[in-house]
Every structure is written in structure tokens, then in C-alpha cells.
Amino acid sequence: MYDTSISEKTVTQNSIKFSARNVQVHYGDTHAIKDVSVDIEDKTVTAFIGPSGCGKSTFLRCLNRMNDTIDICRVEGDIRLDGQDIYDKRVDPVQLRAKVGMVFQKPNPFPKSIYDNVAYGPKIHGLARNKADLDEIVERALRRGAIWDEVKDRLNEPGTGLSGGQQQRLCIARAVATEPEVLLMDEPCSALDPIATSQVEELMDELRKNYSLVIVTHSMQQAARVSQKTAFFHLGNLVEFGETGQIFTNPQDERTESYITGRIG
Amino acid sequence: MTDMTASPSGALATDARLRARLRQRKRKQVILQGLGLGAISFAGLMLFILVASLVSTGYKAVTQTHLTVEVFVDPQEISVDKLPRGGFRDVLAAALIKEFPDMAEAGRKDLRALTGVYSNGAQFRLRDMIVADPGLIGQTVTLTVPVSDPFDQLQKDLIKRETPQAQRRVDDRQIAWFDTLAERGMISEPINWGLLTNADSRFPELAGLKGALVGSFWALLVCFAISFPVGIGAAIYLEEFAPKNRMSDIIEVNINNLAAVPSVVFGLLALAVFLGWFGLPRSAPLVGGMTLALMTMPTIIISTRAALKAVPPSIREAALGVGASRHQVVFGHVLPLAMPGVMTGTIIGLAQALGETAPLLLIGMNAFITSAPGTPLDSATALPTQIFIWADSPERGFVSRTSAAILVLLGFLVMMNGIAIYLRNKFERSW
Ligand SMILES: Nc1ncnc2c1ncn2[C@@H]1O[C@H](COP(=O)(O)OP(=O)(O)OP(=O)(O)O)[C@@H](O)[C@H]1O
Ligand SMILES: [Mg+2]
């Protein structure tokens, strides 16, 4: 049913990037994530799938502490990045987010020029020593975002003037410009047409060489195409986690099976 | 609709109940539109009546009747070593006697009737001219000075010639003199720039708004300097940094209440605190500005918070997502995007402050002051209080000047609101 050939390619054992243990998330009285433990590998695309409202975004946002900005959100449990507890008091969420970049569901470029959109992160983290340096970082990021050729002649035009797909790739370029180690993408293709989607997917495959990628997607095909590992969430529980090929061809849990065959969700 | 009635055989049209409901809905819509149109027409009519009545009285103050005379600066009356004192009044009288030689032997009373054409300010105008250039003594100078208020009224037909002599402020003889002067081309009616460039005066023909304009300017500057940073700071803190709890709710409610407090209360507060405790000078634009700032601050806080709230969360997330700190998010992304809204709110707050009268009356900014304030600590009036003073004055000449002053105030208000609208359109949200 799904083209899982990519995922069935060699799955080498990579080092663990994120390791989450017994994570619980509450929004006020809502128990959104229930006791989730998962290991996310380096240089791997991990896909989060599951029906709407099951907590995929919530869990994703735990990984770079974006949930800190929501007053009523409470995160418990243990999440380690390279062995270090990211919810430790000594960890500055600002530094964490420089290491763990994020691309949002809706393209959200700053209402600034294309150049400034990409240059902003490197600037605030002091990654460039001078203007030439910064120019180089911006160009490299835009190239990796697969959008350089389309915007190289209009770097000073506002990023908000681009098409939806271009904006999303600009946001990806903006995220990679800070040289993160992990890239979190929350439904990065939901606003894109098939062509832009395949561009972004190619990009993910490319980025996998250097980063650990975590994507949330509602498209089973996409999960099967780009990811090596898949996690299936249901009602706040992590129901099943394993090799993508395994999950799609031979799910262990019946909820997983009914979801990927389209019976729930 | 028309299709339906044209082909009653259609399935939709056959249902009579549906048609009746449609008709009723349409009627409701027409009534609603009518009410809205009526309300707007009523508001427009009221505005028209207001402006029309102001213009119809105020336009008389747009010009000021002037008298041009040849004055011989008699060295016997005016000498260099006595300046700035001298017989300026006599010199001016002599200039008129030259026009009417039969008045040379007239008594003091008759002479006063003749020189009554001159505004009281004429002698000072001549004095200033000669002090500036004493070389004029012994020469004949051409002097153009305002005529006094009754003659200005006569020229503008506000004093009717057909009124019985006993009921008007100029007698038949004075009218005859004035007409003679007019025949000789000595009477002119230029634009009354003095209305903007003169300070206040007891004499309507000399009175102007300069003191009030400068006073209002200082007061608004002080008001802006206080309320803008404090208001924005408070709004940013409340909206972006303050924890959302009971305390912040209480503060929020109180700020909204503060915006609704009658302005006269702020005047009383200023009287007690600024003048009473701090001992700041009465009538000073500084105190006026501080008082107005108390009133403007809630407006700025409320509009700034609304503008900050209107910035979409996706922008904040984007900035946080690349590792910006909360300060960087607020000052680098959210505040710049909110700025048009902030500016609009600030300008509207300042426009309100410009028209505010009651608190200024309480701190004494309705004093009679004949010079424009040099610093915010000098006594001064403001535009609305100046209007208040003039409206209270018995002299007929102040009637048209009051209307003209109101028009000037309205002009500034329209201008400020225009700037606010311009800013809003220019920086229309771009996300
Ligand atoms: N800001 C919030 N405040 C309160 N509850 C929230 C908030 N965000 C999410 N939730 C709740 O947490 C649960 C999980 O939401 P989440 O956004 O993680 O779902 P999701 O799996 O990403 O769904 P979708 O696929 O529709 O994006 C839902 O029940 C939702 O109502
Ligand atoms: Mg989601």
C-alpha cells in the first residue's frame, strides 16, 4: 500500500540524541501526554504520527521547551539531550533553542527582508564575525533550504511576499542558519502543494546527513517516504515506536494498524 | 430574488412559508440599513451645524481692520535720551488732527473720541519702531496699526449704522470720521495674522493665540514625554512579562477604570499633589502637562496592549524558535509590529489631552497672561482654557475670536487624527 522502499534501506545504529523518560504534560486539567518514553537517534528522521489532538505537537514542543511559553502547561519527567537534562534549572531555554531548531506548521517568516529573516538567528547568537561572514552563512542556509536560486536576486524584499511553499523553505533556511543539532518540524508540508512538498522532503533527506530530524505529519505516505523511525501517538500515549518499515508493514498494536489503514483518526 | 418571482413554478418559489420568511428577512435588513443611515446622517448634520455656526461667527476674526497714517515723529515730544518713554500718544493724535484740521482746537473729550479709532496697541507699535531705530525721530513714518474694536465691528457691519446712536458704541461723528478715513484709502482689512502671532490682550483687536499655542505645545510635550515611555513600559510589562494572576487582573481593571475617571478629578489631584506638596508653580504648562499625562497614560496603556495582543503568536514563536530571548522577541519583533497601533493610540490620547479643559482650569492655566511662555515653568494658558477665557469676556470683539480659536483647536485635532489615520494605513499589518 505504501512505498516503504526508502525506509527499508540500511538502518544503521546511530547514537541517541534525545532520550525522553516518563514524560507527562498537563495543560491545566488536560492530561495531554501520558508517560511517554522514547529515544530519538542522531542523523535520523523520526516521524510522529497519530490522530488529531493526540499530543504530537505537544511532545515535539517539549523537546525545545517551547511549552515554557504557555502559562498553563506543566511538563514532568526527564528529557535529555546528549545526556544533559534540558529541564535542568541551569539550562537556558534560549541556548537550547539555538541547538534545537523548529519549523512550524504555518510558514511564519518575520515581516522583514529575506536576508534579515535568515540572518537574525546567527546575529543574535553571534555566529558571524563580520558582514562577509554573515553573507556567507545566509547564502549557505538558503542553499540548504533549497530556495537560494529563487531568492538570490531579491534578498532585500520582504519574506512575507513569497509564496507559501517558498515561505516554508525560507523558514527551514532560517532554522538551519543557526546550525542546530536537531530540527523539529511540525507538519512542515501541510500548507504546501505537491511540488513544494517533494522539495521539502528532498531537503529532509539531505538534512538528515548532518542533523537529527523530528517531523510531525498527517500524511502516512510522507512518514513512509522520509522517516527511518516512526512513533505512533494515540490519546496522549505513545502506542508504538520502531523502524518505519516495521510500523507500516507489521504493526504490533491493533490501534496502530487501524490508524494506518484508515480506520481511526 | 427576481428569478424566483419570475418563475413561480420553481421548486424554491412554491414554498409560501419560505418566501414569507425571505421577505421578512429582507424587510429587517432594510430597516437596519435605514437606522444606520439615519444615525450617520444625524451625526453628520450635528457636525455640520457645529462647524457652520463656528465658521459663520468665526470668519469675522479672519481679518482685522487697520488704519494707515502718516506720523510725524515730533522731536519735541519724543527724544532719544528719554526712550522708551515719550509722547507717542500725542504724536499719534497729531497725525489724525492733520487729517481733520478742524479738530485742532477741540477739547480733550472730543479729541479722545477721534483718537479712539486707534487701537490701544498703536502707541506701543510706534514706540517699538522708534526704539528699534531712533533715527526715525524728526521724520515722517507710515504706520499701519489695528483700529480699536468698535471701529473694527463697524467696518465688519457688526455695528449697524441704522441702530440709534445711543445704542451703539460709536457715535455719528465717529462714523463720519471713519468714513472719511476710508474714502481717503487709509482703512484696510488685511488677514488677521495677529490672531496667531499675538499673545493675549484685554483688547480684542490685539488679542491672539500665541500664548495659548505655545502653552499647549509645552503642555503636550511634557504630557508626551511622561505618558509615552511610562505608558508603553507599563503596557509591555503587563502584556508580555507580568504573570497572569489575580494581581494583574486587579491592575487591569484599575487601568480601565482610570481611563473613565472624569478629567476634573485629575485636576483636583494635580492641585493637591503637584501644587500642594511639590510646590510647583501655578499656571505652568509643566504642571498642565503632568496632569494631562495622568489622563493620557491609561489611553496609551490600553491601546498599546491591544496593539501588542494583535501581533500574531506565530511571530513570537518564530523568534523564540530561533533562540531569541523574551526581551529580544518583544523589542525586536513584537513592539516594532505593534508600533503603528501604539502611535495611533498615543496621538489620539494626545488629541484628547489637547482639548482637555477642566483639569487645566483647576491648576490655574486660565490666568490672564500677555506674553507667550518661554519655558514650561512660565505661567501660560492653553488653547481650550484660552477659549474659555475669551468666551467669558464681555467685549463684543471676543465673540468672533472665540469661534476662530475653536476652529484653530478643531484644526489641530483634525490634523492629529489625520496623522493617526495616515500612520495606521501606511503601516497596515504586513503579515
Ligand atoms: N495551548 C493549549 N492549551 C490548552 N490545551 C492545549 C493547548 N495545546 C494543546 N492542547 C491540548 O493538548 C492536546 C494535544 O494537543 P496537540 O496540539 O499536541 O495535538 P496534535 O497531536 O498536535 O494535534 P494536530 O494533529 O491536530 O495538530 C489536545 O487535547 C489539546 O486540546
Ligand atoms: Mg499539532
Side-chain angles (χ1 to χ4, degrees):
Chain A
M1 186 173 173
Y2 299 113
D3 171 19
T4 50
S5 56
I6 301 174
S7 335
E8 275 166 5
K9 282 188 309 195
T10 52
V11 183
T12 48
Q13 193 59 44
N14 288 308
S15 59
I16 306 290
K17 199 72 192 164
F18 264 115
S19 120
R21 289 290 171 273
N22 309 105
V23 177
Q24 314 267 358
V25 182
H26 295 262
Y27 290 107
D29 293 334
T30 319
H31 198 176
I33 292 288
K34 296 164 190 159
D35 205 29
V36 168
S37 300
V38 69
D39 284 326
I40 289 162
E41 290 171 19
D42 201 6
K43 304 196 195 314
T44 305
V45 178
T46 306
F48 288 178
I49 60 170
S52 185
C54 66
K56 305 179 295 291
S57 302
T58 303
F59 188 71
L60 193 72
R61 291 161 58 92
C62 288
L63 300 180
N64 68 345
R65 292 183 60 175
M66 273 309 261
N67 284 331
D68 289 16
T69 58
I70 300 171
D71 285 330
I72 57 166
C73 185
R74 221 168 63 242
V75 180
E76 286 155 21
D78 186 55
I79 303 177
R80 289 175 185 275
L81 172 63
D82 293 328
Q84 197 193 6
D85 182 4
I86 61 168
Y87 280 86
D88 192 292
K89 283 199 174 53
R90 280 162 303 178
V91 171
D92 185 356
V94 166
Q95 265 172 348
L96 174 70
R97 291 184 199 129
K99 272 192 181 178
V100 183
M102 188 157 197
V103 176
F104 297 84
Q105 177 168 357
K106 205 172 131 241
N108 55 354
F110 300 129
K112 300 178 183 224
S113 73
I114 292 169
Y115 182 94
D116 287 341
N117 259 285
V118 181
Y120 182 71
K123 256 192 222 159
I124 60 172
H125 296 300
L127 298 183
R129 279 181 306 278
N130 52 39
K131 179 80 170 72
D133 234 15
L134 192 60
D135 287 348
E136 205 186 300
I137 290 175
V138 169
E139 177 173 344
R140 197 167 58 228
L142 286 169
R143 278 190 193 284
R144 295 173 81 180
I147 191 179
W148 170 253
D149 292 327
E150 285 155 77
V151 300
K152 62 171 184 266
D153 300 321
R154 44 174 178 156
L155 291 177
N156 290 320
E157 283 172 33
T160 39
L162 297 171
S163 78
Q166 290 173 324
Q167 286 189 13
Q168 192 61 300
R169 280 178 285 149
L170 176 63
C171 290
I172 294 172
R174 180 177 68 189
V176 300
T178 52
E179 297 291 340
E181 297 165 14
V182 183
L183 199 54
L184 311 176
M185 297 180 158
D186 194 347
E187 300 182 41
C189 300
S190 64
L192 305 188
D193 66 26
I195 296 172
T197 300
S198 72
Q199 280 171 329
V200 171
E201 285 178 6
E202 271 170 40
L203 188 63
M204 290 179 194
D205 216 39
E206 175 68 30
L207 292 172
R208 176 163 73 93
K209 289 181 194 144
N210 301 299
Y211 304 107
S212 166
L213 258 67
V214 185
I215 64 165
V216 172
T217 178
H218 275 288
S219 155
M220 248 74 71
Q221 291 91 331
Q222 184 172 55
R225 277 195 302 267
V226 300
S227 72
Q228 288 76 52
K229 293 274 185 157
T230 298
F232 172 66
F233 287 80
H234 187 245
L235 300 175
N237 296 302
L238 177 63
V239 172
E240 200 165 344
F241 177 59
E243 308 291 339
T244 300
Q246 169 82 24
I247 296 268
F248 279 98
T249 53
N250 186 16
Q252 303 299 303
D253 195 290
E254 59 182 282
R255 286 170 291 179
T256 317
E257 191 183 354
S258 16
Y259 181 70
I260 57 174
T261 51
R263 266 180 278 138
I264 56 169
Chain B
M1 257 334 259
T2 45
D3 270 356
M4 246 182 243
T5 42
S7 58
S9 60
L12 278 171
T14 47
D15 191 338
R17 273 205 354 250
L18 187 69
R19 260 189 311 183
R21 282 233 325 262
L22 269 176
R23 218 177 302 124
Q24 198 187 349
R25 266 161 53 180
K26 208 176 164 192
R27 192 164 52 234
K28 273 193 183 148
Q29 190 182 337
V30 168
I31 291 173
L32 206 66
Q33 270 180 0
L35 281 177
L37 222 65
I40 289 178
S41 318
F42 180 72
L45 181 73
M46 287 298 132
L47 185 69
F48 176 77
I49 291 174
L50 170 74
V51 173
S53 78
L54 285 173
V55 169
S56 66
T57 44
Y59 85 97
K60 297 277 187 193
V62 169
T63 59
Q64 166 66 40
T65 314
H66 277 66
L67 169 67
T68 308
V69 280
E70 303 281 317
V71 181
F72 173 59
V73 188
D74 190 347
Q76 285 179 335
E77 297 280 0
I78 298 160
S79 64
V80 186
D81 27 290
K82 287 222 188 94
L83 282 176
R85 289 145 71 94
F88 300 105
R89 204 195 275 260
D90 295 336
V91 168
L92 285 173
L96 271 188
I97 292 173
K98 211 164 71 202
E99 297 294 328
F100 303 103
D102 51 319
M103 292 297 290
E105 304 300 322
R108 281 177 61 97
K109 206 173 158 230
D110 293 332
L111 201 59
R112 195 143 3 104
L114 177 62
T115 54
V117 178
Y118 287 123
S119 152
N120 199 50
Q123 47 180 322
F124 304 118
R125 183 78 58 86
L126 180 64
R127 181 193 66 190
D128 293 346
M129 235 170 109
I130 292 170
V131 168
D133 180 11
L136 293 175
I137 295 176
Q139 298 187 15
T140 299
V141 296
T142 309
L143 194 64
T144 302
V145 288
V147 302
S148 66
D149 185 43
F151 290 93
D152 187 45
Q153 307 257 338
L154 180 70
Q155 166 77 8
K156 289 171 179 166
D157 221 18
L158 289 168
I159 291 181
K160 305 267 185 247
R161 283 153 207 264
E162 51 275 14
T163 323
Q165 179 165 221
Q167 286 171 30
R168 52 175 142 80
R169 283 191 297 153
V170 286
D171 57 28
D172 291 340
R173 209 166 31 140
Q174 286 177 306
I175 292 183
W177 287 327
F178 186 76
D179 289 343
T180 313
L181 290 172
E183 265 165 41
R184 293 181 190 165
M186 295 165 70
I187 301 292
S188 58
E189 208 183 323
I191 299 277
N192 185 12
W193 294 116
L195 186 67
L196 297 177
T197 58
N198 290 353
D200 197 13
S201 164
R202 236 168 315 127
F203 304 98
E205 71 274 12
L206 299 175
L209 290 170
K210 185 176 172 196
L213 287 171
V214 177
S216 272
F217 171 77
W218 283 126
L220 278 193
L221 198 69
V222 171
C223 173
F224 175 78
I226 296 173
S227 60
F228 187 70
V230 177
I232 290 195
I236 290 178
Y237 177 76
L238 286 174
E239 194 58 41
E240 303 285 336
F241 297 108
K244 303 271 174 288
N245 54 26
R246 207 191 187 85
M247 194 62 207
S248 57
D249 286 348
I250 293 174
I251 292 176
E252 165 136 28
V253 168
N254 276 301
I255 287 173
N256 290 338
N257 283 342
L258 214 56
V261 168
S263 57
V264 70
V265 176
F266 288 105
L268 286 169
L269 179 77
L271 189 62
V273 176
F274 298 151
L275 302 189
W277 291 357
F278 298 168
L280 290 170
R282 272 185 79 81
S283 308
L286 174 73
V287 182
M290 287 161 74
T291 315
L292 295 174
L294 294 178
M295 298 180 41
T296 313
M297 217 135 48
T299 313
I300 294 185
I301 293 178
I302 290 170
S303 61
T304 302
R305 291 188 67 178
L308 290 173
K309 252 194 208 114
V311 175
S314 66
I315 300 285
R316 292 165 210 268
E317 290 200 323
L320 286 170
V322 294
S325 68
R326 273 172 96 173
H327 291 86
Q328 286 169 326
V329 173
V330 171
F331 291 100
H333 297 275
V334 178
L335 192 57
L337 289 175
M339 222 46 201
V342 176
M343 295 307 292
T344 312
T346 305
I347 292 172
I348 286 174
L350 288 179
Q352 273 171 12
L354 177 64
E356 201 53 68
T357 324
L360 300 185
L361 294 179
L362 280 170
I363 57 154
M365 283 193 75
N366 55 341
F368 175 69
I369 293 139
T370 53
S371 62
T375 71
L377 284 167
D378 298 341
S379 293
T381 58
L383 269 177
T385 49
Q386 188 69 62
I387 290 167
F388 182 81
I389 300 171
W390 283 359
D392 235 14
S393 300
E395 287 86 353
R396 291 274 301 139
F398 277 122
V399 174
S400 59
R401 271 155 212 271
T402 305
S403 295
I406 294 173
L407 286 173
V408 170
L409 178 59
L410 284 181
F412 277 105
L413 293 181
V414 168
M415 202 173 75
M416 289 173 82
N417 286 321
I419 293 173
I421 291 172
Y422 171 78
L423 283 177
R424 199 170 56 207
N425 292 343
K426 180 161 175 188
F427 297 102
E428 199 75 278
R429 38 197 64 175
S430 50
W431 52 80

